[in-house]
């Protein structure tokens, strides 16, 4: 399984952080290790490590390392969907929103801490409705034992990159490259310790390939051709531009986070979801005949929703975004987007005086069972009062009084399209 490690360097000693890296490098395919903390507040030993590590200096502010750590995890979840496991080494508690976001995206989370607060943490996980099956708690005081290769030490610090890559990592390279020319397969197998697994985009498809940061541009183009991602005569430029990559001095590199999220649109979307990680869930939306998976917050501003669709390459304008809302069982009200089946409409502002007297009397008599629901007709969503078991003729009157249906529109077709059931001339909502 592909994993990334995040170390809260201000709260975790390098002996513990590096031992955690060594332990989990033997169990998972580690893409990278992210060491996060203010430069003047962490041990110098964290900066004496190999190429596997990314040191992130948090320049300012109290608790900025905690905020930065949550942000980096969120960016990894959205920008690197191939990462299956998030390993967090910290004894702090300000990362719960990031854990919830990760588990909502069905990522496994391994939390390495001192164990003192595990009981309380389990209660917090329950309160936040975080799936406990996706969270593993590791006490670094007793559970980080791993064989030490003393010959690989440098200034008393373990260098995980000097150890052979895990067998699972090599096996994945061999599996992915199984149908490639032998020279391409051997190229990656012989450099297994440097290989990352990334997704590249061509047209509307994603392809997983092995990748080495700084790979020669010609070699990379040949790899794309060997994987049949591009044809022999095609240039790799568009794949590079669409896949968070960049070319510098005829070498191909992964773009860093600042470059990936440099546009105003992407910045606004990323910041929005990072700040609301605990409320973010994954939904499917309909675009044409396709279903696309996106992150979503109930009640998110339409502007952010529209920018999100643009960043995912789903929609290019507000008109298209509104159609997607209608087609995807979402609701657009007061410049915000809601789940159509979760929003509470008990405070509806529908003017019941517009409804004929017979219908009003029925509603009044059944006030305790009255609810406000969303229905669609054509390409438009409408809110309407409803009582389960309402007579067809009364419901028909309400629909026409509220201008939802025209005089000549067929009620039966409307009921079928909106998932109602009619029995003995009474209308019921179908149970989900």
């Amino acid at each position: 399984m592909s994993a990334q490690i995040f170390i809260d360097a201000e709260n975790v000693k390098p002996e513990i952080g590096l031992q955690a890296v060594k332990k989990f490098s033997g169990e998972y395919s580690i893409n990278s290790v992210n060491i996060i903390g203010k430069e003047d507040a962490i041990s110098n030993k964290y900066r004496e490590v190999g190429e596997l590590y990314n040191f992130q200096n948090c320049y300012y502010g109290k608790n900025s390392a905690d905020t930065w750590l949550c942000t980096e995890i969120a960016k990894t979840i959205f920008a690197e969907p191939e990462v299956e496991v998030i390993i967090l080494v910290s004894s702090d508690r300000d990362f719960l929103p990031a854990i919830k976001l990760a588990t909502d995206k069905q990522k496994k989370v391994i939390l390495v801490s001192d164990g003192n607060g595990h009981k309380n943490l389990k209660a917090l996980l329950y309160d936040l409705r975080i799936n406990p099956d996706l969270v593993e708690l590791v006490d670094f005081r007793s559970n980080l034992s791993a064989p030490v290769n003393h010959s690989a030490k440098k200034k008393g610090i373990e260098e995980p990159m000097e150890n052979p890559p895990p067998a699972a990592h090599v096996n994945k390279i061999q599996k992915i490259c199984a149908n490639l020319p032998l020279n391409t397969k051997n190229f990656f197998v012989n450099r297994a310790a440097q290989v990352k697994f990334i997704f590249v985009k061509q047209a509307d498809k994603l392809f997983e390939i092995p990748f080495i940061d700084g790979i020669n541009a010609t070699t990379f183009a040949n790899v794309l051709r060997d994987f049949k991602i591009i044809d022999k005569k095609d240039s790799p430029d568009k794949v590079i531009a669409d896949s968070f990559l960049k070319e510098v001095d005829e070498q191909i590199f992964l773009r860093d986070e600042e470059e990936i999220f440099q546009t105003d649109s992407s910045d606004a979307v990323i910041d929005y979801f990072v700040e609301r990680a605990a409320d973010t869930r994954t939904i499917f939306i309909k675009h044409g005949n396709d279903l696309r998976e996106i992150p979503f917050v109930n009640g998110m501003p339409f502007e952010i929703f529209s920018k999100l669709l643009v960043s995912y390459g789903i929609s290019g304008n507000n008109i298209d975004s509104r159609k997607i809302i209608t087609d995807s069982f979402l609701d657009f009200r007061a410049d915000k987007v809601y789940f159509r089946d979760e929003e509470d409409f008990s405070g509806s502002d529908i003017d019941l005086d517009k409804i004929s007297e017979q219908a009003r009397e029925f509603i009044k008599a059944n006030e305790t069972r009255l609810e406000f629901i969303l229905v669609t007709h054509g390409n438009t969503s409408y809110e309407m009062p409803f009582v389960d078991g309402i007579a067809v003729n009364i419901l028909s009157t309400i629909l026409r009084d509220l201008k939802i249906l025209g005089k000549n529109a067929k009620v039966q077709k409307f009921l079928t399209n909106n998932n109602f059931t009619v029995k003995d001339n009474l209308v019921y909502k179908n149970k989900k």
Side-chain angles (χ1 to χ4, degrees):
M1 297 178 73
S2 175
Q4 280 208 30
I5 299 178
F6 297 84
I7 299 176
D8 181 0
E10 293 184 15
N11 291 314
V12 175
K13 295 179 180 179
E15 291 79 7
I16 294 171
L18 298 178
Q19 188 66 14
V21 174
K22 184 174 182 61
K23 172 181 171 63
F24 293 111
S25 292
E27 300 175 15
Y28 299 98
S29 174
I30 305 299
N31 285 11
S32 65
V33 178
N34 304 279
I35 300 174
I36 299 171
K38 290 191 288 290
E39 189 171 17
D40 59 356
I42 69 171
S43 169
N44 288 331
K45 293 181 179 180
Y46 271 124
R47 290 187 287 276
E48 300 173 5
V49 290
E51 296 177 358
L52 178 68
Y53 296 81
N54 298 317
F55 175 71
Q56 180 62 65
N57 182 19
C58 304
Y59 298 96
Y60 57 87
K62 183 180 180 181
N63 297 326
S64 63
D66 299 331
T67 302
W68 210 296
L69 187 146
C70 286
T71 301
E72 296 303 311
I73 292 176
K75 286 182 178 180
T76 295
I77 291 169
F78 290 120
E80 301 181 55
E82 74 276 12
V83 174
E84 302 168 272
V85 183
I86 300 294
I87 301 171
L88 173 59
V89 187
S90 176
S91 290
D92 211 331
R93 293 290 179 271
D94 294 333
F95 41 71
L96 284 171
I99 291 178
K100 178 166 176 57
L101 176 60
T103 54
D104 283 349
K105 294 288 289 182
Q106 298 303 304
K107 310 288 186 185
K108 179 179 179 180
V109 176
I110 299 176
L111 175 59
V112 184
S113 67
D114 62 11
N116 287 327
H118 281 186
K119 184 175 181 180
N120 290 336
L121 184 58
K122 289 179 180 179
L124 290 172
L125 296 177
Y126 176 82
D127 290 341
L128 289 173
R129 301 297 187 266
I130 293 174
N131 183 355
D133 295 333
L134 292 175
V135 180
E136 179 182 344
L137 303 179
V138 175
D139 185 345
F140 60 52
R141 297 172 301 180
S142 57
N143 296 112
L144 287 184
S145 57
V148 177
N149 181 1
H150 293 284
S151 64
K153 284 189 176 182
K154 179 180 180 181
K155 297 182 180 179
I157 303 168
E158 291 299 321
E159 291 285 356
M161 284 299 291
E162 293 183 6
N163 294 326
H169 189 71
V170 177
N171 289 341
K172 183 171 182 178
I173 296 173
Q174 292 174 331
K175 182 178 180 180
I176 288 180
C177 298
N179 298 321
L180 301 187
L182 185 61
N183 62 329
T184 302
K185 179 179 177 180
N186 288 340
F187 173 83
F188 288 112
V189 171
N190 294 337
R191 297 166 177 79
Q194 300 171 261
V195 170
K196 300 179 180 181
F197 298 100
I198 67 170
F199 282 87
V200 295
K201 184 179 179 183
Q202 167 67 336
D204 292 327
K205 294 182 179 180
L206 291 176
F207 301 86
E208 186 179 22
I209 65 170
F211 178 78
I212 296 173
D213 216 24
I215 188 173
N216 177 272
T218 301
T219 302
F220 180 72
N222 289 333
V223 170
L224 295 181
R225 294 181 182 114
D226 288 341
F227 274 96
K228 302 188 185 306
I229 297 171
I230 62 174
D231 292 332
K232 290 184 178 180
K233 296 181 180 180
D234 290 343
S235 166
D237 291 349
K238 181 163 175 51
V239 174
I240 293 170
D242 291 345
S243 305
F244 304 124
L245 300 172
K246 63 181 178 181
E247 181 174 351
V248 179
D249 296 331
E250 298 185 354
Q251 291 178 290
I252 309 301
F253 298 89
L254 287 166
R255 276 187 274 167
D256 59 35
E257 289 152 355
E258 288 76 10
E259 292 171 314
I260 292 173
F261 301 106
Q262 64 185 350
T263 66
D264 292 339
S265 176
S266 294
D267 278 342
V269 172
I270 292 296
D271 289 345
Y272 179 84
F273 284 109
V274 169
E275 292 171 4
R276 295 161 180 81
D279 299 319
T280 300
R281 66 182 70 184
T282 299
I283 66 170
F284 283 93
I285 59 170
K286 186 177 180 183
H287 183 223
N289 294 322
D290 298 326
L291 288 177
R292 298 288 298 273
E293 188 178 16
I294 64 168
F296 184 79
V297 174
N298 199 27
M300 66 188 299
F302 175 75
E303 180 184 2
I304 295 294
F305 181 81
S306 185
K307 288 180 177 180
L308 174 68
L309 297 183
V310 171
S311 68
Y312 270 66
I314 298 172
S315 167
N317 56 65
N318 287 352
I319 295 176
D320 198 14
S321 297
R322 289 175 185 268
K323 187 177 188 309
I324 288 171
I325 290 173
T326 301
D327 292 345
S328 305
F329 301 103
L330 298 172
D331 178 33
F332 174 56
R333 293 184 290 111
D335 291 327
K336 292 186 178 181
V337 185
Y338 297 91
F339 290 118
R340 188 177 298 175
D341 60 341
E342 292 189 7
E343 183 65 7
D344 180 7
F345 296 106
S346 60
S348 172
D349 57 1
I350 288 179
D351 185 0
L352 296 180
D353 289 339
K354 294 180 179 180
I355 300 174
S356 63
E357 184 176 353
Q358 181 187 13
R360 283 204 312 272
E361 288 298 323
F362 177 85
I363 290 173
K364 185 176 180 181
N366 294 275
E367 188 173 2
T368 57
R369 298 193 296 126
L370 176 66
E371 56 182 319
F372 291 88
I373 64 173
L374 278 177
V375 294
T376 59
H377 183 58
N379 290 323
T380 307
S381 298
Y382 301 91
E383 187 183 5
M384 60 167 278
F386 182 77
V387 175
D388 217 29
I390 189 172
V392 172
N393 65 317
I394 294 177
L395 181 61
S396 176
T397 299
I398 292 174
L399 291 171
R400 301 186 197 284
D401 288 343
L402 294 178
K403 310 296 184 185
I404 297 174
L405 292 185
K407 290 183 179 181
N408 298 321
K410 294 182 179 181
V411 176
Q412 186 58 51
K413 183 178 180 181
F414 168 86
L415 295 175
T416 301
N417 290 341
N418 284 277
N419 206 31
F420 290 106
T421 297
V422 180
K423 184 177 181 181
D424 298 329
N425 284 325
L426 300 179
V427 181
Y428 301 91
K429 285 194 303 183
N430 283 343
K431 303 299 182 184
K432 295 183 179 180

